[in-house]
Amino acid sequence: MNIFRALIRRELSMFFQGPTGFIIISAVLFLISLGFLVVLYGLNGEATPMPVTQIFYETYFFWLILLLIAPAITMRSFAMERASGTYESLMTAPVGDWQVVLSKFTGALIFYMILWTPLLVCSIVVRFYVGESAVLGFGTMFTTSMGILMIGSLYVSIGCFASALTQNQAVAAVGSFAIGAALFFTGFFSYFSGDRTDFFSLLARHISLANHMESFTRGILDLGAIIFFLSLTSLFLYLTHKVVESRRWK
Amino acid sequence: MIEVENLTKHYGQHVALDGITFAVGHGEVVGFLGPNGAGKSTTMRILTTFLAATSGSVHIGGDCVFERPNQVRSRIGYMPENNPLPIDLRARDYLVFRAQLKHLSKDMATKRVDEVVEQCGISNEENRYIGQLSRGYRQRVGMADALLANPELIILDEPTSGLDPNQVRSVRSLIRKLAGKHTVLISSHILSEIEMTCDRVIILHEGKLLASGEMNKLISKSNSKVVAEIRAPLIDIKNWVNEIALEDSELIEQKNGYVRCQFSGTKNNDAREQIFATVNERGWELRELSRHTPSLEDLFVSLTNGKEGNR
């Protein structure tokens, strides 16, 4: 446990020792602020039936952050260590492969959640001025955070996987963006399939991240969605572990 | 401490190691010698559990490196080739981080970091970022890391590459001090390096083990050489050489009438007395009479060239 904590602290320190972390933070802050403006504009008119979190989620900024930021966070996790050679001293210290994979994943996920804190501040501001729990209850805020955490762990695990495959950070970023975008856009087929119940329409509806996220922002904790995200995250972490382990295959 | 049997490693078609067998005992300082691409780093990576071998077995302190990697790792202090370090950390913070990875408790970590910082002479620089340190100091940080957990076995991959002579000297004396307490395996293609620090040497070439054994024995196996510089006509000297029956002679004329005579071949090891007596008898002038034991370099060249000739 001690080792795990040391590894996570090291992962987080990598973001804040150089400019990278701060550049990512400013980019996300900018996008969240734009989203916040749209939310304020939406609230300015007549009473809305939607919770504020759902309005925010319906802006493009939310998905932009998700698709772009996760690769930016995770591209360095394995690729940089491989390129600089510190990977060798890390993997020959008495730490297990799983400890390394999980610490890199957890470190990136913590940083990812830190990035979303401005949204929390925005929500509190809105809540303070509106003062009406139907617009923004603590329940919806909680489920939205859950949704962000769930989608985040999936995208961060995809990023770790892509980063473990290469020692070139750019390749890692493009790779994880490609997998993430493919997953995201495949879900859009559910809009075309309408009410059809054939296998592919059902599959498209099931892997539609947008559908899952929408229920989170409405204040619904959908067990199916949580299982979906956790199982996909575990799959990508498992694949990452296999890649890390592969150097010791005969 | 280390038992390697029939170790083979293929990278695709390329054979990096070809059936290597050797053993290293407790407290020995062993040099791993070979030209670039001989398989030194690959062997070290397999010993340190970073890579798996294609076939063969490796045991460190009785534990198989493939089956019990974590036990093996906690026995080893390893400095990889080119000594990779994170440049964004201060030297001391890095060592504390490494101490935690090596299962040292908080108090123990602080104590050990203090000790290795002292031992490796980085006390003055411990609070600087590694990125700002000179190459010599980085090397010491890498060594300090290898020593942190007080491991039974210390493996250093080219510990002196890229250092200036003073730094090389200090690294060398550090390695010498480790002998006895730790088993040390160092690799190098600098022969004088190994010659000065190691009791035993293992010579690799193109993935094969060329020679292994105690330095003195290896060297004494190869021929030593006797050199005499004599002032006399070349013709007379040729006759004299035939007379005293010294084999493998080489005569080189020098300035002001001297002839440099080199006698190689094992039989001539103690030919100096005979040479002195016979030269004195003839009343020739003798300005040099010496015996040259071959260096590791000679040994290495003769071994590796021989191999290349056979290809």
Side-chain angles (χ1 to χ4, degrees):
Chain A
M1 209 55 211
N2 228 341
I3 293 183
F4 194 57
R5 208 164 47 211
L7 283 169
I8 291 178
R9 200 180 310 143
R10 172 76 191 115
E11 283 305 310
L12 285 173
S13 83
M14 277 194 231
F15 289 111
F16 296 109
Q17 293 286 359
T20 334
F22 296 101
I23 293 174
I24 297 176
I25 288 177
S26 352
V28 172
L29 196 58
F30 177 69
L31 289 174
I32 289 184
S33 319
L34 283 180
F36 185 54
L37 284 181
V38 175
V39 169
L40 289 185
Y41 185 75
L43 284 176
N44 200 22
E46 294 300 302
T48 157
M50 291 187 211
V52 177
T53 42
Q54 199 184 345
I55 306 174
F56 181 78
Y57 150 77
E58 302 231 315
T59 64
Y60 297 114
F61 306 110
F62 180 86
W63 294 102
L64 207 57
I65 295 172
L66 204 64
L67 287 177
L68 290 180
I69 295 307
I73 295 175
T74 51
M75 65 181 188
R76 36 199 285 146
S77 65
F78 286 94
M80 192 178 72
E81 295 228 36
R82 280 192 165 190
S84 74
T86 50
Y87 189 60
E88 196 172 336
S89 34
L90 176 66
M91 300 315 284
T92 51
V95 293
D97 291 351
W98 268 118
Q99 275 175 320
V100 172
V101 171
L102 288 180
S103 65
K104 290 201 173 289
F105 168 75
T106 316
L109 191 62
I110 291 173
F111 183 71
Y112 166 87
M113 289 310 280
I114 291 174
L115 291 177
W116 284 101
T117 44
L119 181 65
L120 186 72
V121 177
C122 293
S123 311
I124 290 172
V125 169
V126 172
R127 172 110 174 90
F128 181 74
Y129 282 105
V130 176
E132 199 179 316
S133 63
V135 176
L136 187 66
F138 284 112
T140 15
M141 271 164 72
F142 173 73
T143 54
T144 307
S145 325
M146 271 303 280
I148 288 173
L149 178 68
M150 287 290 124
I151 294 197
S153 27
L154 174 56
Y155 273 70
V156 166
S157 69
I158 290 174
C160 286
F161 171 63
S163 184
L165 286 174
T166 172
Q167 45 178 290
N168 184 326
Q169 290 187 44
V171 173
V174 172
S176 85
F177 177 77
I179 303 175
L183 192 64
F184 175 61
F185 289 111
T186 313
F188 278 112
F189 282 114
S190 63
Y191 290 123
F192 305 124
S193 62
D195 293 334
R196 281 198 307 219
T197 52
D198 57 304
F199 176 72
F200 286 106
S201 308
L202 287 176
L203 183 71
R205 209 164 300 145
H206 187 62
I207 65 175
S208 166
L209 302 184
N211 284 352
H212 291 314
M213 191 61 209
E214 196 185 319
S215 48
F216 281 119
T217 56
R218 279 211 206 118
I220 302 164
L221 264 188
D222 180 359
L223 193 63
I226 292 179
I227 291 172
F228 167 77
F229 284 121
L230 288 185
S231 50
L232 266 188
T233 304
S234 316
L235 172 69
F236 277 104
L237 287 178
Y238 175 76
L239 292 176
T240 313
H241 177 253
K242 281 286 158 209
V243 174
V244 168
E245 196 189 56
S246 69
R247 73 178 197 287
R248 289 175 48 79
W249 288 347
K250 296 201 173 184
Chain B
M1 188 73 218
I2 307 177
E3 285 152 51
V4 176
E5 251 174 77
N6 251 326
L7 185 64
T8 304
K9 173 77 185 172
H10 296 230
Y11 290 113
Q13 291 288 314
H14 176 68
V15 181
L17 291 176
D18 191 2
I20 288 181
T21 302
F22 66 88
V24 176
H26 270 282
E28 277 188 291
V29 179
V30 175
F32 232 45
L33 199 58
N36 293 331
K40 301 178 303 254
S41 292
T42 304
T43 311
M44 290 189 154
R45 283 181 175 159
I46 292 171
L47 290 181
T48 54
T49 77
F50 186 67
L51 291 178
T54 311
S55 66
S57 78
V58 180
H59 287 84
I60 289 184
D63 285 321
C64 174
V65 296
F66 310 120
E67 276 154 26
R68 297 161 65 85
N70 265 357
Q71 278 80 357
V72 170
R73 285 173 196 167
S74 45
R75 288 215 167 95
I76 292 179
Y78 174 45
M79 187 175 95
E81 200 177 7
N82 300 325
N83 185 25
L85 297 171
I87 51 171
D88 61 334
L89 284 181
R90 293 173 200 274
R92 191 185 173 84
D93 295 344
Y94 173 67
L95 291 174
V96 170
F97 166 65
R98 294 290 297 176
Q100 285 170 326
L101 291 195
K102 295 178 181 185
H103 302 268
L104 298 186
S105 67
K106 205 172 178 188
D107 297 339
M108 194 61 191
T110 321
K111 184 170 159 265
R112 278 304 292 163
V113 169
D114 287 340
E115 283 170 11
V116 294
V117 158
E118 184 67 39
Q119 200 175 353
C120 300
I122 37 180
S123 318
N124 295 332
E125 311 287 329
E126 61 173 346
N127 286 320
R128 286 177 64 189
Y129 284 104
I130 293 174
Q132 297 171 342
L133 291 180
S134 69
R135 190 154 182 155
Y137 275 109
R138 285 191 202 190
Q139 210 75 1
R140 292 183 199 191
V141 174
M143 301 264 295
D145 169 35
L147 296 175
L148 259 178
N150 217 351
E152 295 163 58
L153 172 63
I154 294 172
I155 298 182
L156 306 170
D157 199 348
E158 308 219 340
T160 56
S161 74
L163 298 184
D164 70 34
N166 283 333
Q167 294 166 335
V168 168
R169 195 169 294 184
S170 73
V171 167
R172 206 184 282 148
S173 74
L174 188 60
I175 294 172
R176 281 269 37 137
K177 279 185 213 151
L178 299 175
K181 282 174 271 173
H182 308 265
T183 309
V184 184
L185 188 62
I186 58 177
S187 80
S188 182
H189 56 260
I190 304 165
L191 300 138
S192 56
E193 194 59 55
I194 301 273
E195 209 168 7
M196 278 181 236
T197 46
C198 302
D199 317 316
R200 261 186 60 202
V201 59
I202 292 169
I203 301 180
L204 287 182
H205 185 61
E206 290 177 347
K208 291 195 180 70
L209 193 114
L210 284 193
S212 154
E214 276 174 41
M215 194 88 81
N216 300 337
K217 284 186 187 160
L218 276 184
I219 289 173
S220 68
K221 262 192 218 164
S222 68
N223 302 334
S224 62
K225 194 164 66 177
V226 173
V227 172
E229 283 196 7
I230 304 163
R231 179 136 79 176
L234 189 61
I235 277 285
D236 293 351
I237 291 185
K238 275 184 181 159
N239 290 334
W240 165 72
V241 168
N242 287 335
E243 217 169 282
I244 60 172
L246 287 177
E247 286 164 10
D248 296 329
S249 60
E250 195 186 344
L251 306 178
I252 307 156
E253 283 199 277
Q254 309 271 314
K255 280 179 193 163
N256 47 35
Y258 278 95
V259 177
R260 188 178 173 83
C261 319
Q262 295 183 356
F263 307 99
S264 37
T266 37
K267 277 194 281 175
N268 302 335
N269 270 352
D270 284 317
R272 281 174 296 180
E273 287 167 13
Q274 190 191 0
I275 291 171
F276 181 73
T278 48
V279 167
N280 210 15
E281 220 169 73
R282 286 166 171 75
W284 293 339
E285 280 175 52
L286 180 69
R287 74 170 178 190
E288 187 193 332
L289 180 58
S290 55
R291 181 175 156 219
H292 297 258
T293 44
S295 62
L296 192 52
E297 191 147 4
D298 300 325
L299 175 69
F300 185 65
V301 168
S302 71
L303 282 171
T304 52
N305 279 347
K307 280 284 157 185
E308 264 159 8
N310 289 341
R311 274 197 299 186

